[in-house]
Amino acid sequence: MRTMHRMLFAVGLMLLASAAMAQIPTGEGTLDRPDGARIHYQVSGHGQPILLIHGYPLSGELFAKNRKALEQHYSVITIDQRGYGQSTAPDANATIKTYAQDALALLDKLHATKAIIGGMSMGGPIALEMYREAPQRFAGLILIDTTAKPAGPPEAGLWNGVVTLVQDKGVGALPMVLTKDMLTGQTRLHDTALVQTLNAIVLKASKNGALAGAKALANRPDSQPTLATIKVPTLVIVGVEDTIYPTDMAKAMQEAIPGSQLVMIPGAAHAAVMEQPAQVNEAILSWARRIQW
């Protein structure tokens, strides 16, 4: 009888978890935040949820080619962080914690009690902040072309310079500064369509968003102590030619996170998810199917 009760209890828990995580409505929507920010998001596919968080100064459209592959197996959630894409920002004062709380609030709105959460570039520190605040919301963690380190003086100087650039010349000046590090030289020479797509995403950022994100990156917290505390399956992905957060940083993160996996993507720089989407998708799907929800 005890065995039967245990079996029924386990089945009940699985049904509750399935109901909580699999009934996310597809389509686009907005999340209104208490400070006046309006967060745009998109959901596609069906199944367990994967939340993907973009880098600076991009939007959920960064993951367009990943969404198409992942939605065959998962409910894929992409967010435009405040001030980017179709989202709005009331001011230029957001921090990594602000972005993390926005993303957690979106999971609440969608009734996603647990998700695989992935962050690219600035999305990595955001995902790590989310883990510090709510580790129980993670079924798995994906860190893509990112770092757990705080910005040292050279990098902080770069982001503070971006703040000055945007203040003086506006968002329109960003592609010339950023694209050279986002894509490999070969891609910039031979795939003008991809370059134009990336630049178009950047140019949709608002001035408030561009200023806040650069300041947030310059002053981001040190997430290195968090790495050893991560107890969920973790995948680290890096473009072999990433010059912003290069392969040695990815290796260091993978070595610090217990049981994590590292995948290096040839022919890709910082925006590996756009430049080599098939390889990134294969890495994510191969890893994610082993997760126990």
Side-chain angles (χ1 to χ4, degrees):
M1 184 66 71
R2 273 186 195 172
T3 302
M4 179 63 72
H5 284 163
R6 286 173 184 163
M7 289 176 62
L8 291 172
F9 180 71
V11 169
L13 285 178
M14 286 189 290
L15 290 173
L16 283 171
S18 176
M21 292 187 286
Q23 303 300 317
I24 300 175
T26 59
E28 299 181 58
T30 57
L31 168 71
D32 290 326
R33 301 293 284 139
D35 64 357
R38 173 162 287 187
I39 310 298
H40 173 266
Y41 64 89
Q42 181 172 337
V43 181
S44 61
H46 297 281
Q48 305 289 17
I50 294 182
L51 170 64
L52 298 174
I53 303 170
H54 63 83
Y56 178 88
L58 304 165
S59 75
E61 285 309 297
L62 170 76
F63 300 107
K65 293 182 179 180
N66 313 110
R67 184 191 296 128
K68 289 181 180 179
L70 300 178
E71 70 186 9
Q72 305 302 314
H73 307 276
Y74 297 93
S75 181
V76 182
I77 307 163
T78 54
I79 181 173
D80 292 351
Q81 290 285 4
R82 56 173 63 207
Y84 302 102
Q86 298 183 57
S87 294
T88 63
D91 52 45
N93 298 315
T95 64
I96 296 298
K97 181 179 283 289
T98 307
Y99 299 130
Q101 291 174 343
D102 289 344
L104 287 169
L106 175 58
L107 291 179
D108 290 341
K109 177 183 174 74
L110 297 175
H111 304 290
T113 56
K114 185 176 286 191
I116 295 172
I117 299 173
M120 176 267 182
S121 194
M122 186 174 75
I126 295 169
L128 291 167
E129 178 66 27
M130 293 171 69
Y131 189 84
R132 285 192 289 273
E133 295 194 19
Q136 73 280 4
R137 306 299 292 270
F138 285 72
L141 170 64
I142 309 173
L143 298 169
I144 309 168
D145 289 298
T146 190
T147 182
K149 293 183 176 181
E155 188 187 351
L158 166 68
W159 296 121
N160 289 328
V162 169
V163 169
T164 301
L165 179 70
V166 173
Q167 288 172 333
D168 292 347
K169 298 186 177 180
V171 173
L174 288 177
M176 185 176 295
V177 174
L178 300 177
T179 303
K180 62 181 175 57
D181 294 308
M182 299 289 283
L183 303 171
T184 63
Q186 285 296 314
T187 295
R188 298 198 310 274
L189 279 171
H190 302 296
D191 194 345
T192 56
L194 183 58
V195 173
Q196 290 170 357
T197 298
L198 178 61
N199 288 345
I201 294 173
V202 171
L203 292 173
K204 287 183 179 178
S206 68
K207 187 172 183 179
N208 277 347
L211 291 172
K215 289 186 284 186
L217 282 165
N219 298 285
R220 65 179 182 264
D222 184 359
S223 292
Q224 293 174 104
T226 303
L227 300 180
T229 72
I230 295 172
K231 298 179 180 179
V232 297
T234 301
L235 175 64
V236 180
I237 297 174
V238 63
V240 170
E241 298 183 51
D242 190 343
T243 57
I244 299 178
Y245 303 129
T247 54
D248 59 335
M249 288 188 176
K251 288 179 182 178
M253 286 195 299
Q254 186 270 321
E255 290 170 358
I257 302 171
S260 62
Q261 179 181 344
L262 172 64
V263 176
M264 297 190 188
I265 307 297
H270 191 59
V273 294
M274 289 187 74
E275 200 164 18
Q276 297 293 344
Q279 293 183 56
V280 172
N281 296 339
E282 181 181 357
I284 292 174
L285 289 170
S286 176
W287 165 83
R289 67 171 56 103
R290 299 194 296 270
I291 290 179
Q292 300 295 316
W293 290 78

